[in-house]
Amino acid sequence: MTTATILRSDVPSDRADAPPTRAVLRLPPSLLALLAGLLTTASIPPFGWWPAALVGLGLLPVVLESARTVRQRFLRTLVFAGGLYIPSLWWLTQFSLPGGLVICGLEMVITALVIAIATPKSRGERSLAFVCSVAVSIVLADALRSLWPFGGLPLGGIDLGQADGPFAALVTFGGRLLLIGVVALIGGAAVLGARLVRRDSRTFKAIIPVTAVLGVGLTVTVLAHLVPDGTHAGRNLRVAVAQGSGPLGVRATDDGLERAFRAHVAATGLIRQPVDLVLWPENVVDVQRFASSPKRSEIGQLAARLGAPIVAGVVEDDPDPKRFRNFSVLVNPGGGIGDGKAGRYDKVRRVPFGEVVYFRSVLTKFSSALATKDMRSGSLPGVIATPFGPLGLIISYEGFFDDRARSGVRAGGQALLIPTNASSFTSAHLPTQQIAAARLRARETGRWVAQAAPTGISAILAPDGRMVTRSSIQERTALVATITLRQGLTPYARWNDAPALALMAAIGAAAFVVPRRQTRRRT
């Protein structure tokens, strides 16, 4: 008997010499999941390659489509989340090793669990409905981790990677959830379209709905650039931001705290032109009682020399010896506190394992470097009274929470001040992520933003997230720029996450219903 071998040039090859793209898609699911996570984290500062998230999130449906059980989806997504959050959040271990490990682990588990449960079993490879389901699941996972545990952990998020990209305008209308959902949807549809590209009419018909999804996503993004974001309130303000500089990776000590204060006195001395307001970073004034402190008088003298009030970041002892207070306060020329309680804002959101230590009795067995006191939280909207009208004010970690910025704007804030402190860390991860978050907060609220950090990065941002001026890390400087006070609410400040959740619900419902109708027609 003679055996014949038929060679067909039109049959796709499974050999190792297949095109690189096809070879990547045929990686084992665990490796492909890790690659997807690493590509997504490559978009997040300090890396900042925003298009990488489109590919990374676009690969996640490929990873999950062959998973037949919730357990398989959980394990694969856990690998994806490890590739995403371990590189983007590892800097937390410099502040608290056990706390950083707990936060990284929780971010990974929450993301994997929600996506595994919310993503339905795939009804076939290369399904647009499945891509939509995964995009909705990604949004749900990010929504949960921004709320729970510890009051939310929106650090190292996918949204930060888009602050410098064209999709960032989406937050003006629907906030970070809409931004994440559209990026995941466009990325998934683009990767699916690339997989469907063949030279036959059958596949061409399949590409039509994929193209439609891409078109809708891009159209929504273009329209978001046209959404109104407030109006001029009738006044310009000359704002100065003081950055004293100093060494990185330094914990709070008496000598270090005094050096930080003196550095900002010196940085304020660099201001030569007339200004209306000076912003100092978070907790550069550390005292037992600010009202009776000589430092309050010294700041008042600086304000008198400039003829402008100074908003100073203060850490103060609490009557409870196990607690402290973290606030920013307006100091008028001469040392008076501006407008009583309205001239002061106490930080509401506490940094987990930094300003509040959970599981203290357990973690102290593994680390002696934990903070010894917990911060007493404030409870008021993020706004402070000034001679020029109310200004929104949020402190450091709160810059990652859109609800704090929104509370200040809804309370009448006509610009947004963000005093912060990243001097405890040696890498550029936190400073660059804080700037990315500030750019998103500017777009969400339609307000000018001034951010002050003791060792950087300080910046003044326009309402469209544009960087007007910024400092370098470990630079002593005083940034000065004219900002415009604004009023009115953006759609996001008015409606919160409702538009994003409504859109994701509609997409999720369509992804659930359409494949079942198609199945019924076939039978």
Side-chain angles (χ1 to χ4, degrees):
M1 179 181 290
T2 303
T3 301
T5 301
I6 300 177
L7 301 178
R8 294 277 305 276
S9 60
D10 59 339
V11 176
S13 173
D14 290 331
R15 299 182 321 179
D17 58 352
T21 303
R22 192 175 299 166
V24 168
L25 296 178
R26 288 175 180 161
L27 288 172
S30 58
L31 289 180
L32 192 59
L34 180 61
L35 177 61
L38 292 174
L39 283 170
T40 306
T41 204
S43 70
I44 299 171
F47 312 110
W49 305 326
W50 66 264
L54 295 171
V55 183
L57 297 177
L59 289 175
L60 190 56
V62 182
V63 171
L64 297 177
E65 67 184 8
S66 61
R68 295 295 174 237
T69 65
V70 172
R71 180 176 179 273
Q72 284 183 330
R73 291 196 295 273
F74 173 78
L75 293 176
R76 293 181 186 184
T77 312
L78 189 66
V79 175
F80 163 81
L84 169 58
Y85 291 122
I86 291 177
S88 66
L89 293 178
W90 190 252
W91 52 269
L92 284 167
T93 60
Q94 297 179 22
F95 197 75
S96 168
L97 178 59
L101 294 176
V102 168
I103 290 176
C104 284
L106 284 172
E107 298 277 60
M108 292 168 57
V109 171
I110 290 170
T111 299
L113 194 59
V114 173
I115 293 177
I117 294 173
T119 302
K121 180 180 177 180
S122 175
R123 291 178 170 267
E125 292 187 350
R126 307 180 188 183
S127 163
L128 180 60
F130 186 70
V131 167
C132 293
S133 297
V134 174
V136 172
S137 299
I138 291 171
V139 172
L140 292 177
D142 211 272
L144 178 60
R145 78 183 191 93
S146 66
L147 297 173
W148 182 88
F150 312 136
L153 297 169
L155 299 170
I158 297 167
D159 53 311
L160 301 180
Q162 300 304 310
D164 196 36
F167 301 108
L170 289 163
V171 301
T172 308
F173 181 72
R176 56 193 295 274
L177 296 185
L178 181 63
L179 172 60
I180 293 169
V182 170
V183 170
L185 194 61
I186 290 178
V191 171
L192 177 61
R195 298 173 70 198
L196 290 174
V197 172
R198 299 265 179 83
R199 292 183 180 178
D200 60 82
S201 58
R202 187 177 182 181
T203 305
F204 177 75
K205 291 179 181 179
I207 292 176
I208 293 177
V210 174
T211 305
V213 169
L214 287 171
V216 169
L218 294 174
T219 300
V220 169
T221 302
V222 171
L223 292 176
H225 284 271
L226 306 177
V227 169
D229 59 357
T231 59
H232 196 304
R235 176 163 185 169
N236 293 332
L237 206 64
R238 193 74 172 162
V239 174
V241 174
Q243 178 175 307
S245 190
L248 298 176
V250 176
R251 298 298 179 92
T253 63
D254 290 341
D255 290 343
L257 294 170
E258 183 62 25
R259 282 198 301 269
F261 177 76
R262 292 298 155 201
H264 286 83
V265 170
T268 306
L270 299 175
I271 302 172
R272 294 289 181 263
Q273 51 190 302
V275 294
D276 298 308
L277 182 73
V278 179
L279 177 65
W280 277 21
E282 177 193 24
N283 56 43
V284 294
V285 183
D286 194 299
V287 293
Q288 290 183 338
R289 181 72 175 164
F290 183 69
S292 57
S293 169
K295 290 182 178 178
R296 170 184 166 180
S297 300
E298 188 170 352
I299 296 172
Q301 292 170 10
L302 285 174
R305 182 182 67 79
L306 294 171
I310 297 175
V311 177
V314 180
V315 172
E316 181 182 80
D317 291 346
D318 188 79
D320 182 346
K322 294 182 179 181
R323 294 180 179 271
F324 68 94
R325 298 176 184 270
N326 184 352
F327 59 89
S328 287
V329 62
L330 184 83
V331 181
N332 287 313
I337 302 297
D339 197 15
K341 291 184 178 180
R344 165 176 163 167
Y345 169 72
D346 284 68
K347 188 175 183 179
V348 175
R349 295 277 189 175
R350 301 184 293 182
V351 180
F353 306 102
E355 292 171 325
V356 57
V357 178
Y358 299 96
F359 319 123
R360 184 183 292 276
S361 60
V362 175
L363 295 181
T364 49
K365 298 177 182 179
F366 302 95
S367 175
S368 60
L370 297 172
T372 58
K373 295 182 179 182
D374 292 339
M375 188 192 86
R376 184 180 294 278
S377 293
S379 58
L380 298 177
V383 69
I384 188 171
T386 75
F388 323 103
L391 300 180
L393 194 150
I394 54 178
I395 299 176
S396 192
Y397 178 61
E398 295 181 322
F400 291 102
F401 290 85
D402 39 37
D403 68 320
R404 294 312 303 161
R406 191 170 62 248
S407 75
V409 169
R410 292 180 66 89
Q414 299 177 350
L416 189 59
L417 308 178
I418 307 180
T420 186
N421 189 353
S423 60
S424 298
F425 305 96
T426 58
S427 72
H429 282 72
L430 181 56
T432 53
Q433 288 183 19
Q434 286 180 326
I435 283 293
R439 297 179 74 175
L440 295 179
R441 301 296 85 82
R443 284 183 176 272
E444 286 170 353
T445 60
R447 297 297 190 266
W448 284 80
V449 173
Q451 176 167 300
T455 55
I457 301 170
S458 301
I460 297 177
L461 311 171
D464 61 0
R466 175 173 46 89
M467 199 97 63
V468 175
T469 181
R470 58 157 284 177
S471 68
S472 299
I473 295 178
Q474 289 187 286
E475 174 189 13
R476 177 170 294 176
T477 186
L479 307 176
V480 180
T482 298
I483 70 172
T484 299
L485 299 183
R486 296 170 63 81
Q487 58 191 6
L489 299 178
T490 63
Y492 181 68
R494 189 181 302 277
W495 297 323
N496 198 354
D497 292 317
L501 294 176
L503 178 61
M504 291 301 112
I507 293 173
F512 179 81
V513 172
V514 171
R516 283 161 177 75
R517 287 188 174 179
Q518 292 175 343
T519 302
R520 288 174 186 170
R521 287 174 184 172
R522 292 184 190 127
T523 56

